[in-house]
Amino acid sequence: MKSLFDINFKNKKALIRVDFNVPLNENFEVTDTTRIEAAKPTIIKILEDGGSCILMSHLGRPNGIEERYSLKHLVNPVEDAFGVEVKYVPDCIGEEAEAASQALKPGHILILENLRFHEEEKSGDFEFAKALSKLGDIYVNDAFGTAHRAHASTTTIAQFFPDNKCFGALLSKEIESIKKVMETGERPITAILGGAKVSSKITIIDNILDKIDHLIIGGGMTFTFIKALGGSIGDSLVEEDKQTLALEILELAKEKNVDVHLPLDAIAADAFSETANTKTVSINDIPDGWMGLDVGPETNELFAKVIEGSKTILWNGPLGVFEMPPFSKGTIAIGEAIANATKNGSFSLVGGGDSVAAVKQFGFEDKVSYVSTGGGAMLESLEGKTLPGIAAILDED
Ligand code: AMP
C-alpha cells in the first residue's frame, strides 16, 4: 500500500484531500471537530517531517459559491487543532492559490476554498484537477468519506502525481480494517446486518457470504425473512416483493456453510412511537396491530453467544429502532457483546451509517477495534466494489 509513512515530506508541499465536511452552527462555528481530529495523524506526520500542508475539502452541498459553506470558517478550528499558523485562499485554483502555495513555509498549513464551489469538482473534470495539481508536490488522499466518488480532487487529480501520491493515515486505516474482515480475518468471522431493509443490504450479503462463518440478521429486515419462512409478523416492516430473495439468501448461505441467525423474539409495539404499549413476543407470532421494533431478550442472549465466540466481527445496521429508548436494547446488547469480544482479542469493525451513530450514542466507540468514518464508502467496500479514490492511488482501473 502506498502509505505516507514511506515518504519524507521535508521541504515538500503536500496537497491533501481531507474530509472537512464538518457541521457548523448559525454563527459558522464548528460544532463537531471529529473530522479535523481524524486528519491529525496525516497532517502532523507531514509537518514534523518539515513539509507543508495544503488542505482541500468540500463542505456541504453548495450551489455555486455560498458564503455559509466557505472553508474560511475552518481556519480558527484548524489553528486550534494544530497550534500552527493557518493561511486561507478564497479559491482552490488559480493565481492566488498558486501564489499562496508558493509562499507557504515548511511547518505551515494552507486551506483552500471549498472544492464544490466549482461544479467541475463533482464532474471529475480533467482541467480542474490539473489546476489543483499545480498546488503541491505530493498528492495525499485522506478522505475515505468521498473515496467512492470519482471527483476531481479524489480521483482525476491522482494521474498528475504518477510517482508522488499516497494514502493518508486515516484512509490507510480504513483500507486495512476492511481487509482485516474481508481478506485476512481470523475465523470464525461473523457479520451482523441490521437496519431497515433487505433491499439495501442485498449486495453486501451477496459479497460477504463467501467470506464469513456466521450471519446475524436483525432490525426491520428480519421480518421479510420471518414472513417468507411462514411466521406471523403482524404490522412489522416488510418488503413483500423481497420474500423470494430472502429465501434464496438463506439457501445460498446453507450452500456456503454460513450459519444464519435470525431473532427468536421481538419487542412488539402497538404503534411506531416511544410511548406505545410494548410486549415481548415470539418472532414468529406477532399479533395483528403490533409491530416488532426491537429484538427481544432471548435473541440478545443468542446473538451475544455467537459474537463472543467470533474472532472477527463486522457490524452494519442497528438491531431495532434504536433512536427510541424502548427499542434500543437490542442494539446496545450487540454493542456490549462486540465490546466484550474485542476486549478478549477479537477484531471488530463497525461501518456504514446508523450503526456508527448507535456506537457513538451508546459509548462503544472506544470499545470496538475500528469505527469507519465513511458511510457510503464503507457500504460500497462491503459490497466488494473498488472505490475510485483508492484505485487512483494504486493505479488500478
Ligand atoms: P439502515 O439505514 O438500512 O441501516 O436502517 C437504519 C434504520 O432502521 C434506523 O433508523 C432504525 O430505526 C430502523 N430500524 C431498525 N429496526 C427496525 C424495525 N424493527 N422496524 C422499523 N425500523 C427499524
Side-chain angles (χ1 to χ4, degrees):
M1 204 151 66
K2 295 181 184 175
S3 155
L4 90 159
F5 293 102
D6 300 330
I7 298 174
N8 185 344
F9 285 85
K10 191 170 172 55
N11 292 326
K12 299 284 186 202
K13 294 181 197 301
L15 181 59
I16 314 173
R17 177 52 159 105
V18 287
D19 180 1
F20 279 0
N21 185 25
V22 293
L24 299 173
N25 64 16
E26 61 280 10
N27 299 321
F28 306 113
E29 291 155 350
V30 177
T31 54
D32 180 352
T33 57
T34 307
R35 287 183 167 157
I36 297 174
E37 295 296 317
K40 269 188 168 173
T42 294
I43 293 175
I44 289 172
K45 143 79 181 161
I46 293 166
L47 297 180
E48 282 183 354
D49 271 3
S52 55
C53 295
I54 298 150
L55 307 182
M56 48 181 180
S57 179
H58 74 284
L59 176 61
R61 294 180 174 176
N63 214 338
I65 296 173
E66 282 190 71
E67 179 78 5
R68 65 189 166 131
Y69 294 124
S70 170
L71 277 162
K72 71 180 178 199
H73 306 308
L74 272 79
V75 171
N76 288 337
V78 172
E79 240 163 30
D80 291 345
F82 294 97
V84 300
E85 192 185 345
V86 174
K87 299 215 179 327
Y88 152 84
V89 266
D91 198 354
C92 57
I93 53 166
E95 280 176 21
E96 200 178 344
E98 285 171 35
S101 163
Q102 281 297 325
L104 194 66
K105 301 252 177 346
H108 287 192
I109 296 174
L110 169 67
I111 297 182
L112 305 176
E113 187 49 285
N114 195 337
L115 293 158
R116 290 194 190 164
F117 283 180
H118 292 263
E119 61 186 31
E120 293 88 349
E121 161 63 359
K122 284 176 85 172
S123 62
D125 185 76
F126 181 88
E127 291 302 331
F128 177 67
K130 192 173 177 184
L132 285 173
S133 74
K134 290 183 184 160
L135 303 176
D137 305 313
I138 301 172
Y139 169 64
V140 182
N141 189 354
D142 208 21
F144 182 64
T146 47
H148 59 316
R149 308 276 184 223
H151 292 173
S153 70
T154 62
T155 304
T156 321
I157 193 171
Q159 65 194 285
F160 299 105
F161 298 88
D163 303 312
N164 288 307
K165 57 186 171 184
C166 65
F167 297 115
L170 177 67
L171 187 41
S172 294
K173 211 150 185 219
E174 294 276 358
I175 297 170
E176 275 163 22
S177 300
I178 296 164
K179 239 188 182 162
K180 263 192 187 166
V181 174
M182 309 292 266
E183 290 174 32
T184 59
E186 202 182 327
R187 309 192 88 128
I189 304 177
T190 295
I192 305 141
L193 294 184
K197 293 179 170 174
V198 186
S199 50
S200 64
K201 303 284 153 98
I202 182 64
T203 332
I204 296 181
I205 297 176
D206 252 354
N207 185 45
I208 61 176
L209 276 183
D210 276 326
K211 306 173 169 65
I212 60 175
D213 303 294
H214 297 276
L215 174 62
I216 288 179
I217 291 176
M221 69 170 166
T222 302
F223 303 102
T224 301
F225 285 89
I226 298 297
K227 185 161 187 196
L229 289 167
S232 303
I233 60 161
D235 294 349
S236 304
L237 193 69
V238 66
E239 288 171 280
E240 298 285 356
D241 60 337
K242 295 289 177 294
Q243 290 183 67
T244 312
L245 183 68
L247 294 177
E248 283 167 8
I249 291 171
L250 296 177
E251 200 49 48
L252 199 63
K254 209 186 231 168
E255 275 171 34
K256 293 181 188 283
N257 282 324
V258 176
D259 282 335
V260 178
H261 306 274
L262 282 161
L264 303 172
D265 53 355
I267 308 295
D270 60 359
F272 191 83
S273 155
E274 51 187 304
T275 54
N277 295 307
T278 63
K279 59 181 175 184
T280 303
V281 294
S282 154
I283 200 78
N284 291 309
D285 217 357
I286 302 180
D288 286 344
W290 293 76
M291 59 190 90
L293 295 185
D294 196 8
V295 292
E298 273 186 53
T299 306
N300 292 336
E301 225 171 277
L302 166 75
F303 287 180
K305 220 185 226 165
V306 176
I307 290 166
E308 285 166 23
S310 303
K311 285 279 170 224
T312 304
I313 301 151
L314 165 71
W315 180 21
N316 169 265
L319 279 280
V321 184
F322 74 101
E323 300 93 333
M324 300 184 195
F327 313 113
S328 62
K329 290 194 186 76
T331 301
I332 295 174
I334 287 289
E336 276 166 359
I338 297 176
N340 281 339
T342 311
K343 201 168 70 192
N344 291 327
S346 302
F347 177 81
S348 53
L349 166 63
V350 184
D354 276 335
S355 35
V356 172
V359 156
K360 289 186 179 170
Q361 184 179 329
F362 301 125
F364 293 117
E365 212 175 353
D366 298 327
K367 296 177 180 164
V368 299
S369 308
Y370 194 69
V371 181
S372 173
T373 58
M378 175 51 83
L379 293 179
E380 290 197 16
S381 300
L382 299 178
E383 287 171 356
K385 293 186 183 144
T386 305
L387 308 188
I390 292 175
I393 297 281
L394 299 174
D395 289 320
E396 288 172 352
D397 287 329

